[in-house]
């Protein structure tokens, strides 16, 4: 009887322990990542829901143009929603208030919030790429450049999430702002109607990474987009990642709402 | 001076906090205590006027010298107390104030959190979270401690330990500015008190000077059936102040024989049945009542 009671106590105690109790984080991103990894059910859902969408999409012969479009929307939403909602929640709880008065530069706080969110999103994005790779077996150059572009677009989407969180204090409003911001960007990227062959639309689509990711997915899924090759995808990925990092650093003061 | 869109806020305020000194800011809800603390904590910028910390006006140059506990005890709930505390220790270390592992253990022990140090903070009670918040603020010997309602959620023992810790820090030259209406706590730690009302400074003075003003007085808190008869109570000889509180009336009066009997007679004369009466020696709350004509907690 005493053994059973003790065993039950130990079970309760082990459940009560935080993740990696022996590891004391030195950096904000480590603490934030720990927090995300500790929410095991949410983590499992975050990894499972892309599979639920991607597996039927890439294995049932959906037209590559439309399948690619959905994959781009999925990647963008993964990056934007989690970060935007997470940061607005942190503000509502008072956590950002506490971070704002620490002796840390604002760019570092936003950068570390970004990094923690990006690492989890990168796993989600990689799951998507892995499913596509298994189903269609693209060449290494195309696969590598598509993967790099997925990660870069996720980084940009994380930065967009931070920007949205700077605009509102309410997690629920993130979806509203997201729709207003993303719908025109995706339209201009030619996701819904294809990239125009010339003119302003062509130039604008060339400036937006979503159009490259769409082409990359289309090509990977066996389609035949009008433009796009692994080299241009890799260049787009590098530029997009650089823009995402710069935007994240620049958003620090707005996210913390530091007075100066 | 800092005013919000709704007109609330604080200012103008002229206040200095010296090394080795505890300044307590007291005032009713909405008087601007927290706004003043947030300005001092570099969280909010004054709309007018200037703020200087050790002669420096740039917040980024002084944040490493501040220990701050705001009213909301926000943490990363999924992480443990040790992990949350460790992160704050690391930020202090990065700013040139290293905190050893032993100091972390001591902070946890002083906060009586050692037994639950590896459990997620989300599973903590309100009081435990407050103790952790204060432990984080006190880490690494900050030169200026800014504490908003530090005794909220603390039991008697924890409040007592906080008093000891503050005295120790102040003894080593730290400055403390705290916002609190816990007069028992304030009277134990404060050197000076700044009373705020509707964003304005009502009075700033050494604690002993303020308490001297109510020596020889008594405070009577009473509840009666029906509306308290303020004019009748004010007419009782020796009554200085009479003000409504949320559940009755509070009087300050000169200490004299027959005072209570006179108050009871005044109630009887206007047909008010007494429900409850508390008599005690006056404290800071009575000083505020005399100055503002309204209770500190009203």
């Amino acid at each position: 009887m005493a053994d059973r009671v003790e065993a039950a106590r130990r079970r309760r105690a082990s459940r009560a322990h935080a993740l990696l109790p022996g590891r004391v984080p030195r950096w904000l991103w480590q603490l934030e990542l720990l927090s995300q990894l500790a929410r095991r059910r949410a983590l499992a859902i975050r990894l499972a829901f892309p599979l639920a969408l991607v597996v039927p999409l890439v294995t049932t012969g959906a037209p590559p143009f439309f399948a690619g479009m959905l994959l781009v929307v999925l990647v963008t939403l993964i990056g934007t929603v989690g970060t935007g909602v997470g940061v607005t929640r942190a503000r509502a709880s008072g956590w950002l208030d506490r971070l704002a008065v620490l002796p840390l530069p604002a760019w570092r706080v936003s950068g570390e919030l970004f990094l923690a969110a990006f690492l989890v999103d990168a796993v989600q994005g990689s799951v998507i790429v892995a499913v596509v790779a298994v189903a269609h077996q693209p060449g290494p150059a195309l696969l590598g450049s598509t993967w790099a572009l997925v990660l870069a677009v996720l980084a940009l989407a994380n930065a967009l999430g931070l920007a949205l969180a700077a605009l509102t204090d309410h997690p629920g409003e993130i979806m509203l702002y997201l729709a207003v911001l993303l719908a025109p960007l995706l339209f201009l990227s030619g996701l819904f109607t294809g990239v125009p062959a010339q003119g302003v639309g062509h130039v604008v689509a060339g400036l937006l990474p979503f159009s490259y990711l769409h082409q990359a997915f289309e090509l990977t899924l066996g389609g035949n987009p009008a433009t796009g090759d692994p080299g241009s995808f890799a260049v787009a990925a590098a530029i997009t990642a650089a823009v995402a990092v710069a935007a994240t650093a620049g958003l620090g003061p707005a996210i913390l709402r530091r007075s100066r | 001076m800092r005013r919000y869109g709704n007109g609330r806020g604080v200012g103008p305020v002229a206040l200095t906090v010296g090394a080795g000194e505890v300044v307590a800011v007291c005032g009713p809800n909405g008087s601007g205590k927290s706004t003043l603390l947030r300005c001092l904590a570099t969280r909010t910028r004054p709309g007018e006027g200037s703020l200087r910390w050790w002669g420096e006006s740039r917040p980024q140059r002084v944040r490493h010298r501040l220990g701050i506990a705001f009213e909301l005890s926000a943490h990363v709930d999924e992480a443990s107390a040790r992990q949350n505390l460790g992160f704050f220790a690391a930020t202090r270390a990065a700013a040139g104030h290293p905190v050893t592992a032993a100091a972390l253990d001591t902070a946890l022990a002083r906060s009586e959190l050692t037994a639950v140090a590896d459990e997620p903070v989300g599973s903590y009670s309100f009081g435990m979270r407050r103790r952790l918040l204060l432990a984080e603020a006190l880490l690494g010997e900050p030169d200026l401690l800014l504490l908003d309602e530090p005794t909220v959620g603390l039991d008697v023992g924890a409040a007592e330990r906080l008093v000891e810790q503050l005295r120790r820090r102040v003894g080593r030259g730290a400055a403390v500015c705290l916002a609190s209406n816990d007069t028992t706590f304030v009277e134990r730690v404060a050197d000076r008190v700044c009373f705020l009302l509707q964003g304005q400074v009502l009075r700033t003075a050494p604690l002993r000077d303020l308490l001297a003003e109510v020596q020889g007085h008594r405070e009577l808190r009473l509840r009666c059936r029906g509306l308290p008869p303020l004019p009748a109570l004010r007419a009782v000889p020796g009554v200085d102040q009479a003000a409504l509180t949320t559940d009755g009336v509070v009087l300050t009066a000169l200490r004299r024989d027959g005072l209570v009997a006179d108050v009871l007679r005044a109630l009887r004369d206007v047909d008010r049945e007494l429900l409850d009466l508390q008599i005690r020696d006056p404290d800071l709350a009575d000083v505020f009542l005399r100055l503002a004509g309204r209770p500190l907690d009203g």
Side-chain angles (χ1 to χ4, degrees):
Chain A
M1 178 68 183
D3 287 350
R4 280 211 305 273
V5 170
E6 176 60 16
R9 191 198 66 74
R10 281 191 184 153
R11 273 200 306 277
R12 280 199 305 275
S14 68
R15 276 201 300 270
H17 269 58
L19 196 66
L20 304 172
R23 296 291 300 271
V24 177
R26 319 294 300 171
W27 300 78
L28 177 60
W29 71 265
Q30 293 173 327
L31 192 63
E32 292 285 336
L33 186 63
L34 206 65
S35 146
Q36 297 203 43
L37 297 181
R39 283 180 248 148
R40 288 169 200 166
R41 189 179 304 165
L43 195 65
I45 292 170
R46 286 176 74 174
L47 291 175
F49 105 85
L51 286 176
L53 189 71
V54 175
V55 170
L57 200 63
V58 301
T59 55
T60 54
F65 180 89
F66 295 109
M69 178 186 82
L70 273 176
L71 291 178
V72 174
V73 172
L74 180 64
V75 167
T76 312
L77 286 180
I78 285 173
T80 319
V81 175
T83 312
V85 170
V87 173
T88 43
R89 277 200 188 136
R91 180 177 294 118
S93 73
W95 179 237
L96 285 190
D97 263 350
R98 299 198 64 196
L99 297 179
V101 296
L102 289 177
L104 299 173
W107 63 262
R108 197 179 127 184
V109 175
S110 60
E112 294 198 46
L113 292 172
F114 164 89
L115 180 59
F118 174 74
L119 288 174
V120 176
D121 292 347
V123 175
Q124 285 182 276
S126 300
V127 167
I128 295 172
V129 175
V131 172
V132 172
V134 168
H136 291 272
Q137 299 178 344
L142 180 57
L143 179 62
S145 60
T146 303
W147 189 33
L149 199 48
V150 165
L151 296 180
V153 168
L154 276 172
L156 186 69
N158 284 141
L160 282 175
L162 288 175
L164 296 179
L167 293 175
T168 176
D169 291 344
H170 306 287
E173 283 184 8
I174 288 289
M175 292 304 290
L176 200 66
Y177 284 88
L178 182 66
V180 171
L181 181 75
L182 270 190
L185 284 178
L186 297 179
F187 176 77
L188 291 170
S189 300
L191 257 69
F192 310 131
T193 56
V195 177
Q198 55 190 6
V200 177
H202 180 79
V203 175
V204 170
L207 294 172
L208 295 169
F210 310 109
S211 63
Y212 295 94
L213 185 58
H214 187 207
Q215 289 159 12
F217 273 135
E218 205 181 338
L219 209 54
T220 311
L221 295 167
N224 188 22
T227 56
D229 57 82
S232 66
F233 300 152
V235 171
I239 294 171
T240 305
V243 169
V245 169
T248 298
L251 282 165
I255 288 161
L256 291 181
R257 296 185 181 161
R258 263 192 186 156
S259 50
R260 52 191 144 149
Chain B
M1 182 173 194
R2 172 74 203 191
R3 291 281 170 192
Y4 297 112
N6 57 12
R8 284 210 296 271
V10 68
V13 172
L15 183 69
T16 55
V17 184
E21 183 186 37
V22 180
V23 174
V25 182
C26 306
N29 293 342
S31 60
K33 302 186 297 290
S34 294
T35 305
L36 180 60
L37 260 279
R38 287 172 73 83
C39 287
L40 293 172
T42 76
R43 186 68 193 105
T44 305
R45 183 183 185 176
E48 290 173 34
S50 65
L51 260 170
R52 286 184 186 279
W53 302 261
W54 306 281
E56 174 62 63
S57 61
R58 285 164 291 187
Q60 66 272 25
R61 294 275 180 97
V62 298
R63 286 195 177 108
H64 66 284
R65 299 180 69 179
L66 307 179
I68 299 163
F70 287 133
E71 207 171 353
L72 285 176
S73 42
H75 292 92
V76 172
D77 281 357
E78 294 78 12
S80 66
R82 192 185 303 280
Q83 289 166 335
N84 274 281
L85 202 58
F87 164 68
F88 283 96
T91 61
R92 294 207 66 79
H97 299 265
V99 180
T100 62
L104 272 192
D105 287 338
T106 306
L108 286 166
R110 279 194 184 136
S111 310
E112 292 202 327
L113 293 171
T114 304
V116 292
D118 292 323
E119 293 178 17
V121 173
S123 67
Y124 285 14
S125 69
F126 178 70
M128 290 157 83
R129 295 171 72 100
R130 293 291 301 175
R131 297 207 302 268
L132 178 58
L133 177 76
L134 291 166
E136 287 157 354
L138 290 162
L139 269 180
E141 302 283 329
D143 295 318
L144 173 59
L145 278 163
L146 298 162
L147 311 175
D148 197 356
E149 303 288 1
T151 56
V152 167
L154 300 189
D155 56 29
V156 176
E160 187 59 34
R161 284 191 297 279
L162 177 62
V163 169
E164 286 168 16
Q165 287 198 66
L166 291 181
R167 282 184 176 156
R168 213 168 22 240
R169 297 299 174 92
V170 168
R172 292 201 286 260
V176 180
C177 184
L178 55 92
S180 177
N181 282 347
D182 179 346
T183 51
T184 309
F185 172 73
V186 169
E187 286 177 19
R188 294 203 61 200
V189 297
D191 299 303
R192 272 193 303 142
V193 176
C194 172
F195 284 128
L196 287 182
L197 183 64
Q198 292 171 349
Q200 309 279 331
V201 175
L202 204 58
R203 177 104 185 262
T204 305
L207 175 71
R208 61 176 178 278
D209 293 358
L210 291 171
L211 289 178
E213 292 175 14
V214 287
Q215 271 182 357
H217 286 69
R218 291 210 122 170
E219 182 195 277
L220 286 77
R221 283 179 179 264
L222 55 92
R223 281 192 309 119
C224 59
R225 205 173 294 286
L227 199 64
L230 278 184
L233 291 170
R234 284 184 180 131
V236 172
V239 169
D240 278 349
Q241 288 285 346
L244 291 172
T245 63
T246 48
D247 62 347
V249 63
V250 58
L251 310 176
T252 51
L254 281 170
R255 187 191 295 257
R256 65 171 178 82
D257 291 339
L259 172 67
V260 175
D262 288 346
V263 168
L264 296 179
R265 191 174 304 115
L267 286 176
R268 234 182 359 257
D269 289 348
V270 289
D271 285 333
R272 294 291 192 279
E273 183 190 350
L274 182 70
L275 298 174
D276 185 39
L277 173 65
Q278 294 173 28
I279 305 166
R280 62 177 183 83
D281 287 331
D283 61 11
L284 271 181
D286 300 285
V287 181
F288 184 85
L289 179 64
R290 281 164 63 94
L291 289 168
R294 56 170 289 186
L296 191 57
D297 54 2

